[in-house]
Structure formats: structure tokens, C-alpha cells
Amino acid sequence: MTRTVAVVLAVLVTTATLPVAAVGGVVGTSQTVESDAMTNGQADAYAGTHVAFDTASNAIVDYRVGGQSVFENVTVESQRDHHSQTGIGADVGLSAVTNLSGIGLEIAAQTETRAEIATEGSASLAAHDTERGILTVDAGEEAQYVQLNLSEDSTAEVSDEGDRVTVDSGDRTGVLLVAGDGEVAVTDNGDVTADLERESTLVFRSYADDEHDDDAVEQERLIADGTATAEVYAAEADGDRVADVATYGQDIAVEAQRNGEDRLEMVVKRAQHEGTIVIVSVSEAALEAADSADDLAVTVDGEAAVEADSYSDLEGGIGEEPRYMVTHSSEASAAADVLVAVDHFSEREVAIQGDTEDDADGSESDSVPGFGVAAAISALLAVVGARIR
């Protein structure tokens, strides 16, 4: 059986913790609430299913993923202020940038899947409660330095690719990279410092050791070179379905529209004409409803995308034709990633629907694997539309 999945612009969708939705089920939305830190101006903490951390007045403290401490603290300071305070010029080597004073920060808002951290400058941070433990630092309108002091159990080294830093934290492997202009380096004392130019983002992603394979490295490359600019994911929190998004770029807007019980459409807008790559991560539980991950198919604007047999072939779809490829998350897992090249913009229509042949037979089992019927995901994608900027 072929089931059709239509996907959106520059988005990584991670459904690693989203079970198969029951027929007629409803995906709950993620409510944003103001934190005590915003109300009382006090230090605060965040404790999610996968990610937890504390905050001081000028730093994130003890950032943990899967119970494993990764960073002792994360500090941000504008490059202008740092140069002014230290007298060090802008031409100093990045590995020598240490002992940042930091700028004031506080947890501004929380959802079931994210904590947003505001600062007194243009920078902002977000911690995403997914199995990948995503942490982003957005420079905003000013260039920033970011200092990441490692925990006692963590070590860092520049990756073979040269533009990323790998953080080993016992049974997890993390990767730090810059989406946009900037660089990340290991300091002389073994910690990590990043240089972010304006409107650039530092991205941290964490993996169980067997998950950081060649395909994960390719996904990191797509983020680092600006080909993938956001990571949308779905999860389960306290029995409810929730969704959220981590952004790695600018100039993205998504509007979700429901067009019937077995079809959900979205309009994706981008001022840039250039196309991009979409990476959809489908959980092992989701694939239990399908005969094989290879049965998944992709449509953009109602037209079937062409299956690519390599990453270079996939990227060749940008500017040419929509293409996709399916990879498996790891040898130990049945989960799969579906990577899609959307050829161009400014506005494209995408849809998620069940198998039309089964629809004609009135089958109730014709939903997309792992997503359930469209009625069960309409709220999920409405949240995606609201959260992507």
C-alpha cells in the first residue's frame, strides 16, 4: 500500500515520541505560559521529559539531556560589550575568548516542549524538550559570543568536518554548529566558545551514541549550510499531543488548513524564491502502522516527489523538482527519516492525506503511518503554523 505524506518548507519534523494516534483521536495543542521569572524577576529552572536546566542571573546552569549533564553553564555576551570591557580587539582568536561576563537572562515562557529564555540584549535562547535535547542561541540584531563550559563528564573536540564541535557526555554525543555566519571552537581549557554574527544561530543537538551516524552528520550539514532552517517536532506530554518548532533561519511562515477528515493542507510562504530541504523523522512506533518505511511517499502541490538515491541527488531537486529520500535513524531502531527537497517558493501548498484507494473502500485504517487520521493531527499542524516564524 502507498500512503501519501506531503511536507513543508525547510522543516525537520521529529515524531520520535509520538505514538500512533487512535482513529478519531485529537492532538492536544501546546499552551505557552509566562514563567515566574518573568513575573518576579527571579532565577528559575526548567524540567521536561528529556531536557532540564537551572538559570542564574546571567547564564543557563547545568544543562541536562536524558539525565546526563552536558554543560555546566551557557553564557552569552555581545561582542561589542566584550571588546569594550576587556580591551581585546575583534581580531583575537575565538579559542581565547573566555570568562564572559554574560548578560541578564530569564525564562520568559514555557510550553510542554520548550522553554524560551529572554536576555537584556538582542540574543534569545530556546531549550527544546525532545530526545535530541535541542538548544538554540539566536544572535538577534547584534553579533554575540557564547561560552559553553562543559560538565565534569563532558569533553569536546572539533569534528572531522571542521565546522562543528562534538561533545561527548558519557552515553550521549552532542554536536554544536552555527547556522548562518560564525564559528564554534574548543578553547585552550577544553570548553567551547562560539562567534555568532547578527541573525545567526548556534545549534546544539544531542544523540544516543548509536544514533549519531552518517545520516545525522548529513542533517547537521544541511542545517549548517542553511539548507534546512527549522526543526518541527511532535511529542506526547502528560497524555496529550503537543508540537513545537526550533528555528535555524529567518523568513518562514506556515498556515495550516483542514479540508476534510482524511486530508490536511498547509500553505507555506517564503519571500525567497530558493527552495530548501525538509527532513521528517518518523518514530519506530509510527512505522508499526506501515508495512515498511519505504512505502512512504511525498507530494508537494499535489504532485508526487521523485525518489532520490543520494544526498547530492536530493539536493539537486532544489530549483529543479521536488525530490525525497528515506533513511533509517540507526541500525538498532526501526525509525526512519524522510528528507524532502522543495524546489522553489514563494508560496507552496502541501497536504497530508490517507491512501486515496483505501478511501474509496471506506477503510478506517488508511491514515498516514504514525499520524493517525487527519482529524487527529489538525491541531498539531495548527500549532506548527502558529509557532514557525
Side-chain angles (χ1 to χ4, degrees):
M1 176 189 301
T2 299
R3 296 176 172 88
T4 303
V5 182
V7 286
V8 294
L9 136 85
V11 179
L12 261 68
V13 180
T14 303
T15 57
T17 57
L18 180 63
V20 178
V23 173
V26 177
V27 177
T29 59
S30 176
Q31 300 295 320
T32 301
V33 297
E34 296 298 319
S35 71
D36 292 339
M38 285 293 286
T39 306
N40 303 321
Q42 300 174 347
D44 206 348
Y46 178 82
T49 303
H50 306 286
V51 170
F53 62 90
D54 299 320
T55 61
S57 61
N58 65 342
I60 288 179
V61 179
D62 191 19
Y63 192 83
R64 304 181 295 281
V65 182
Q68 177 70 52
S69 181
V70 180
F71 302 119
E72 182 179 293
N73 58 66
V74 180
T75 309
V76 184
E77 186 172 20
S78 76
Q79 294 185 19
R80 180 184 59 183
D81 289 348
H82 183 72
H83 297 155
S84 174
Q85 293 169 9
T86 63
I88 296 176
D91 57 348
V92 66
L94 182 57
S95 62
V97 176
T98 58
N99 300 319
L100 298 184
S101 298
I103 50 180
L105 59 77
E106 60 186 6
I107 298 178
Q110 297 185 36
T111 72
E112 293 92 335
T113 54
R114 182 177 68 242
E116 297 177 353
I117 299 101
T119 75
E120 293 176 351
S122 70
S124 60
L125 301 85
H128 298 266
D129 189 31
T130 72
E131 290 186 349
R132 286 182 177 150
I134 299 167
L135 175 67
T136 60
V137 182
D138 189 338
E141 295 302 314
E142 281 192 280
Q144 311 285 342
Y145 286 129
V146 184
Q147 181 177 333
L148 305 103
N149 292 338
L150 303 185
S151 69
E152 292 183 357
D153 298 327
S154 299
T155 58
E157 64 179 359
V158 177
S159 68
D160 294 339
E161 292 73 29
D163 60 348
R164 297 159 235 176
V165 166
T166 300
V167 179
D168 187 346
S169 302
D171 58 354
R172 299 195 68 87
T173 299
V175 174
L176 285 156
L177 57 89
V178 175
D181 296 323
E183 62 177 318
V184 59
V186 178
T187 65
D188 296 337
N189 60 5
D191 291 318
V192 181
T193 303
D195 163 14
L196 299 180
E197 298 303 313
R198 62 187 302 271
E199 296 187 350
S200 296
T201 303
L202 177 67
V203 179
F204 172 73
R205 303 169 91 220
S206 177
Y207 311 83
D209 279 342
D210 63 341
E211 294 177 350
H212 192 246
D213 54 14
D214 291 343
D215 291 314
V217 171
E218 289 290 346
Q219 290 185 19
E220 293 155 12
R221 178 181 63 82
L222 294 174
I223 296 170
D225 67 17
T227 306
T229 58
E231 183 162 352
V232 181
Y233 55 88
E236 183 178 83
D238 298 326
D240 294 326
R241 305 296 192 270
V242 294
D244 213 348
V245 58
T247 56
Y248 309 139
Q250 310 294 320
D251 196 26
I252 300 172
V254 179
E255 178 184 355
Q257 299 174 339
R258 179 178 170 184
N259 291 70
E261 287 299 311
D262 296 316
R263 183 175 177 85
L264 183 67
E265 295 182 349
M266 291 180 293
V267 175
V268 183
K269 300 179 181 180
R270 192 183 192 192
Q272 300 180 38
H273 180 74
E274 184 180 5
T276 188
I277 296 290
V278 179
I279 305 175
V280 183
S281 294
V282 184
S283 71
E284 183 173 351
L287 290 174
E288 289 178 357
D291 295 333
S292 168
D294 297 328
D295 291 336
L296 299 175
V298 176
T299 65
V300 178
D301 285 348
E303 298 293 332
V306 176
E307 185 168 8
D309 57 11
S310 68
Y311 284 95
S312 59
D313 187 25
L314 176 74
E315 292 177 81
I318 296 177
E320 295 293 333
E321 61 185 0
R323 298 177 186 174
Y324 78 98
M325 63 183 294
V326 178
T327 66
H328 293 276
S329 297
S330 70
E331 293 182 1
S333 173
D337 294 327
V338 183
L339 292 82
V340 183
V342 181
D343 52 342
H344 67 81
F345 293 93
S346 60
E347 182 175 311
R348 307 299 297 271
E349 183 179 286
V350 297
I352 297 178
Q353 64 183 38
D355 181 71
T356 55
E357 184 174 329
D358 280 354
D359 287 344
D361 297 331
S363 172
E364 292 186 335
S365 62
D366 58 3
S367 57
V368 175
F371 294 93
V373 295
I377 62 172
S378 58
L380 163 63
L381 292 179
V383 172
V384 170
R387 299 305 307 178
I388 297 182
R389 69 171 182 239

